[in-house]
Amino acid sequence: MKRMAGKVVLITGAAGGQGAAEAQLFAAEGASVVLTDLAGAKLAELSASIEQSGGQVAWCEHDVRGEAGWEAAVSLARKRFGGLHALINNAGTISRQGIANTQLGDWHRTMDVNLTGAMLGMKHAAPAMRDSGGGSIVNVSSTAGLGAHYDAAYTASKWALRGLTKSASIEFVEWNIRVNSIHPGQILDTAFYREGQAGHAEAGRRAVPMQRQGTPLECAQLVLFLASDEATYITGAEIAIDGGYSAGGALWLRNKLRDALAAGHVA
Ligand SMILES: NC(=O)c1ccc[n+]([C@@H]2O[C@H](COP(=O)([O-])OP(=O)(O)OC[C@H]3O[C@@H](n4cnc5c(N)ncnc54)[C@H](O)[C@@H]3O)[C@@H](O)[C@H]2O)c1
């Protein structure tokens, strides 16, 4: 039995690294997937490959910042597949500026995509999910929603998304909708990762107790679990997927430093 058989799942940012992995995994597990992103050409390509593998897919160009776009995306799910059971608020953007250099336009863009976009998604998808008997919402935050990150707007937006997830989990519990956030660390094969500052990736890898970055498939597997009926008692939770970084990256680095000091390798 496929784990998502009979479910309809809407995934935003589906043309990106994690979103595409989620689209492929959900479709392979029997879900009908509705894929949205700003990047229509990439969605068309991804959708064709999912269809060739026997998956059920619909897609539309969609900017998560606007209500009309959300109405169209949810309506597509209802018309093509008869309802909606899961929403993956995965679309995201970043500013890469500290507070001192933050431009107001970048601040608003980051908040609008990462926070307002997810709020609008829940506002428009939740009634359709209620009408389908309930379901699951997964909000993709970040380790930047658990601790400090050099990007001020990104950090603020991802902490706010974590808080919004808690509110939503209580508001929608009566509609049988679970709402959880996930908090990835550095994830390979994404535009976020490719476009990062020089040295950021390697420094990040060395600070992770597992000594490696994560993959889009590993994130997709967590999202699939939370969206599936295997997670029916989990709501309002925040789950890090970061190789142990948020649990104890500082402790792990301190132990390395302790060993190096004891061996006389650092002054
Ligand atoms: N890659 C990482 O290292 C990392 C780490 C922590 C959290 N995240 C989060 O993971 C999520 C997925 O990103 P990814 O890692 O796949 O990176 P990615 O850049 O490959 O994908 C992000 C996607 O979001 C889309 N998008 C951006 N603005 C949009 C808008 N206004 N409307 C609709 N779509 C929009 C982009 O077109 C892109 O396809 C994001 O929310 C990101 O903040 C990523």
Side-chain angles (χ1 to χ4, degrees):
M1 182 68 172
K2 294 193 169 179
R3 293 163 75 193
M4 295 298 289
K7 308 273 192 202
V8 182
V9 182
L10 197 163
I11 302 169
T12 69
Q18 292 181 58
E22 288 155 10
Q24 286 160 330
L25 184 63
F26 275 93
E29 287 291 348
S32 300
V33 291
V34 178
L35 309 181
T36 85
D37 202 294
L38 296 172
K42 282 190 190 166
L43 285 183
E45 204 177 307
L46 175 64
S47 298
S49 97
I50 288 173
E51 265 172 357
Q52 272 169 13
S53 309
Q56 296 288 320
V57 58
W59 66 271
C60 63
E61 261 182 29
H62 171 212
D63 186 330
V64 295
R65 291 172 286 187
E67 293 216 67
W70 273 110
E71 282 165 11
V74 171
S75 167
L76 178 62
R78 284 191 195 260
K79 283 185 186 146
R80 279 290 300 278
F81 301 123
L84 186 63
H85 304 96
L87 166 67
I88 317 302
N89 273 320
N90 168 74
T93 190
I94 194 162
S95 296
R96 303 191 194 284
Q97 293 156 350
I99 294 168
N101 292 318
T102 287
Q103 303 298 309
L104 200 51
D106 286 328
W107 174 270
H108 286 310
R109 174 182 53 79
T110 304
M111 289 295 176
D112 287 351
V113 176
N114 295 356
L115 179 59
T116 310
M119 182 277 292
L120 290 175
M122 292 192 281
K123 175 181 171 183
H124 289 278
M129 293 168 68
R130 173 201 58 202
D131 295 349
S132 302
S136 170
I137 296 170
V138 181
N139 291 325
V140 181
S141 177
S142 167
T143 47
L146 297 171
H149 185 281
Y150 74 91
D151 181 326
Y154 189 69
T155 305
S157 71
K158 294 296 191 180
W159 273 79
L161 181 57
R162 176 180 165 204
L164 186 67
T165 301
K166 309 288 185 209
S167 288
S169 70
I170 303 309
E171 178 172 345
F172 296 134
V173 75
E174 287 170 17
W175 290 358
N176 193 30
I177 297 170
R178 298 177 294 102
V179 192
N180 296 288
S181 60
I182 72 159
H183 299 263
Q186 280 189 349
I187 306 301
L188 297 168
D189 302 324
T190 62
F192 266 76
Y193 180 79
R194 284 190 297 274
E195 294 162 10
Q197 288 173 343
H200 185 71
E202 181 56 14
R205 186 188 70 75
R206 291 188 192 202
V208 172
M210 283 190 185
Q211 291 286 277
R212 68 172 179 86
Q213 279 96 7
T215 67
L217 179 58
E218 287 173 313
C219 292
Q221 285 166 330
L222 172 58
V223 172
L224 179 88
F225 167 70
L226 289 171
S228 77
D229 288 342
E230 294 159 21
T232 44
Y233 201 48
I234 303 178
T235 197
E238 52 195 50
I239 302 182
I241 174 161
D242 64 355
Y245 176 73
S246 57
L251 173 65
W252 190 84
L253 281 174
R254 192 179 73 176
N255 290 345
K256 285 277 173 202
L257 183 59
R258 177 200 60 201
D259 295 347
L261 284 166
H265 290 154
V266 283

